[in-house]
Amino acid sequence: MFPKFELALILFSLFSQQALIAGAAPAQAAENLPRVFKANPRALANAKIQRTAGDSALKPAFDRLFSDAARALKIEPHSVMDKHQVPPSGDKHDYVSLAPYYWEDPNSPKGGYVRRDGEHNPAAVADNDSEGLKSVCANAQTLALAYYFSGDETYAAKAAEILRVWFLDSATKMNPNLNFGQGIPGQVTGRPQGLISVDCLADAVDAIGLLAGSKSWTAADQKGMLGWMTRWFEWLTTSEIGLGEAAAKNNHGTCYDVHATVIALFIGNTDYARKTVMDARAVRIARQIEPDGRQPLELARTRSLHYSLKNLHGLIDLATIGENLGVDLWNYATPDGRSISRALEFLAPYANQKKKWPYQQIDKVKYAELGELLMQAAAVYRRNSLSDGLKCFAADELAASRNRLLFKTELD
């Protein structure tokens, strides 16, 4: 049984969901678009039409998707019960993880920890829940996409199993909180920064939307996930840890906004979602991006290009979400020129790997991430500076990008 407050939230969410389907999103309902929020529903529907019509333009992207789905069919579902360690609460159903950039201090007689920014401690991925949840979200999304495009219940059944084990089954489900994310032994059991490790929940939400209509995803499953996400949203937006991450000025705050907005839309809180996206103009774009496109808070890091891309990725996600909320972040600019497009133009020249990145970057750059952002943004801005950056990437690799199925891109 749910406490009265939680039950009221769930009933409100159910009512709001029906309002969304019946009235608040008439275009989406009329066009029979999938109920997704981070991905572009029209891009997904168009890709499905192309595949059904036998159009070969997206074949490389579909080949990659179904190859990934074949592997996902073989995995064993993860759960928070897989770990051996017991969280500080004493309840293994609570998520727990270790701060990735903290290392044991050899000079500390009491075994203290010190921060080494950008240097991943291998212990941070051992015997905790961070990698398990990432696997759940990634595989659920892959399988749900494969089901949406093919109608094959084999994919839906596996996606449903993965989601049930992590979120719904009483013996294995995760409690809807992150009180013990990115803890530091001997210092703190959980930190706001831990939420960056679970921003993949937005992909799980989209996976649920793609499973609509499948006999493998039941009304009870949908109701259960609505209940779980309602309780998660309440914790996310009221707890000290959640509010701490919301107040973060760098990529952590941006990723929190994406995460919270997607969850809000799933449970029917459209007002929260629209306000968050609108506030991103002043709270994120105006404060995070300089007039020349630099992102100073990310450039100060030891993995400055990585974090510049991560924050920009979050802003682009918010812009995509805003398209269906009547908020245009793509073309927003402050009077002195701070904007998403300016940040893209600052980074685009570095798609040419011969051009030296002038800031600190202590590990290997995943240039493909820049290619993905340029491919998506170039379709919006149609600027030569972005298209020129795309020319630095192998054409076959871009053609096989799964993002071509999720968003409108320069290649389409």
Side-chain angles (χ1 to χ4, degrees):
M1 294 293 291
F2 296 120
K4 289 182 179 180
F5 177 70
E6 292 181 356
L7 181 59
L9 277 173
I10 294 171
L11 290 173
F12 168 78
S13 302
L14 283 167
F15 175 81
S16 300
Q17 272 196 307
Q18 293 304 315
L20 266 174
I21 296 169
Q28 187 166 332
E31 297 174 44
N32 195 29
L33 301 178
R35 192 167 182 266
V36 297
F37 308 109
K38 187 178 175 184
N40 185 311
R42 287 177 179 80
L44 283 163
N46 288 337
K48 187 173 184 178
I49 291 169
Q50 285 181 257
R51 185 172 188 269
T52 302
D55 187 336
S56 62
L58 292 174
K59 185 178 184 302
F62 277 119
D63 286 347
R64 175 167 291 181
L65 169 65
F66 285 102
S67 175
D68 292 345
R71 286 191 291 272
L73 285 172
K74 299 176 183 177
I75 69 140
E76 288 295 321
H78 294 281
S79 90
V80 289
M81 307 305 286
D82 293 341
K83 61 182 178 289
H84 293 97
Q85 69 167 307
V86 179
S89 62
D91 185 354
K92 285 186 69 174
H93 289 275
D94 283 330
Y95 176 108
V96 65
S97 66
L98 180 70
Y101 297 155
Y102 280 77
W103 297 69
E104 286 189 73
D105 182 0
N107 299 317
S108 171
K110 296 183 180 180
Y113 276 65
V114 293
R115 185 171 184 264
R116 289 156 54 176
D117 186 37
E119 299 181 36
H120 286 91
N121 185 344
V125 295
D127 194 33
N128 62 55
D129 296 309
S130 60
E131 296 305 304
L133 181 55
K134 290 174 185 176
S135 174
V136 166
C137 296
N139 286 307
Q141 182 197 44
T142 293
L143 291 160
L145 282 166
Y147 165 72
Y148 173 74
F149 288 120
S150 70
D152 187 338
E153 283 288 338
T154 305
Y155 300 119
K158 188 67 177 184
E161 179 190 12
I162 290 170
L163 291 168
R164 286 191 200 106
V165 168
W166 190 276
F167 296 104
L168 299 178
D169 292 350
S170 59
T172 57
K173 66 183 179 181
M174 171 185 164
N175 290 332
N177 70 71
L178 208 77
N179 293 326
F180 310 116
Q182 286 202 18
I184 305 170
Q187 296 182 33
V188 63
T189 57
R191 307 184 302 146
Q193 293 89 335
L195 277 162
I196 199 78
S197 303
V198 301
D199 57 5
C200 65
L201 283 172
D203 296 323
V205 165
D206 275 7
I208 293 166
L210 293 168
L211 292 174
S214 165
K215 66 181 182 182
S216 300
W217 186 251
T218 68
D221 293 329
Q222 187 72 17
K223 182 179 179 181
M225 283 305 306
L226 179 59
W228 195 96
M229 289 294 181
T230 298
R231 295 191 295 276
W232 173 260
F233 183 77
E234 174 65 15
W235 177 88
L236 185 68
T237 56
T238 62
S239 68
E240 183 178 351
I241 285 177
L243 293 175
E245 189 75 338
K249 297 178 180 180
N250 63 355
N251 67 87
H252 279 262
T254 305
C255 291
Y256 175 95
D257 286 352
V258 175
H259 176 164
T261 297
V262 169
I263 304 299
L265 288 168
F266 178 73
I267 67 173
N269 194 339
T270 311
D271 289 343
Y272 176 96
R274 184 177 288 109
K275 183 180 186 303
T276 302
V277 177
M278 289 184 68
D279 287 351
R281 297 174 298 182
V283 175
R284 304 302 176 198
I285 294 173
R287 296 178 184 175
Q288 293 176 338
I289 301 171
E290 292 294 296
D292 65 358
R294 290 178 299 115
Q295 299 173 69
L297 294 176
E298 314 309 332
L299 295 179
R301 302 292 298 276
T302 62
R303 304 172 69 207
S304 57
L305 181 52
H306 165 81
Y307 281 114
S308 292
L309 290 171
K310 186 171 186 62
N311 190 58
L312 185 54
H313 193 167
L315 292 173
I316 287 175
D317 283 341
L318 286 172
T320 301
I321 294 167
E323 291 176 20
N324 292 317
L325 291 172
V327 183
D328 183 6
L329 290 189
W330 288 111
N331 297 301
Y332 171 78
T334 63
D336 59 355
R338 302 162 193 260
S339 65
I340 290 175
S341 62
R342 192 63 58 84
L344 280 159
E345 289 177 335
F346 177 81
L347 292 174
Y350 299 100
N352 180 353
Q353 297 185 36
K354 294 180 180 179
K355 184 175 177 63
K356 181 176 174 57
W357 176 250
Y359 302 92
Q360 192 173 15
Q361 177 64 40
I362 64 174
D363 60 359
K364 186 176 181 180
V365 175
K366 296 179 181 178
Y367 283 94
E369 294 177 2
L370 176 54
E372 297 282 1
L373 295 183
L374 290 175
M375 185 168 59
Q376 184 180 349
V380 176
Y381 296 117
R382 301 291 181 185
R383 294 181 185 171
N384 290 337
S385 57
L386 305 185
S387 297
D388 288 346
L390 276 175
K391 294 174 184 176
C392 298
F393 296 92
D396 57 346
E397 182 63 19
L398 291 176
S401 168
R402 284 174 43 177
N403 275 351
R404 295 183 64 203
L405 310 176
L406 304 180
F407 310 104
K408 179 176 174 56
T409 71
E410 174 74 354
L411 300 188
D412 303 321

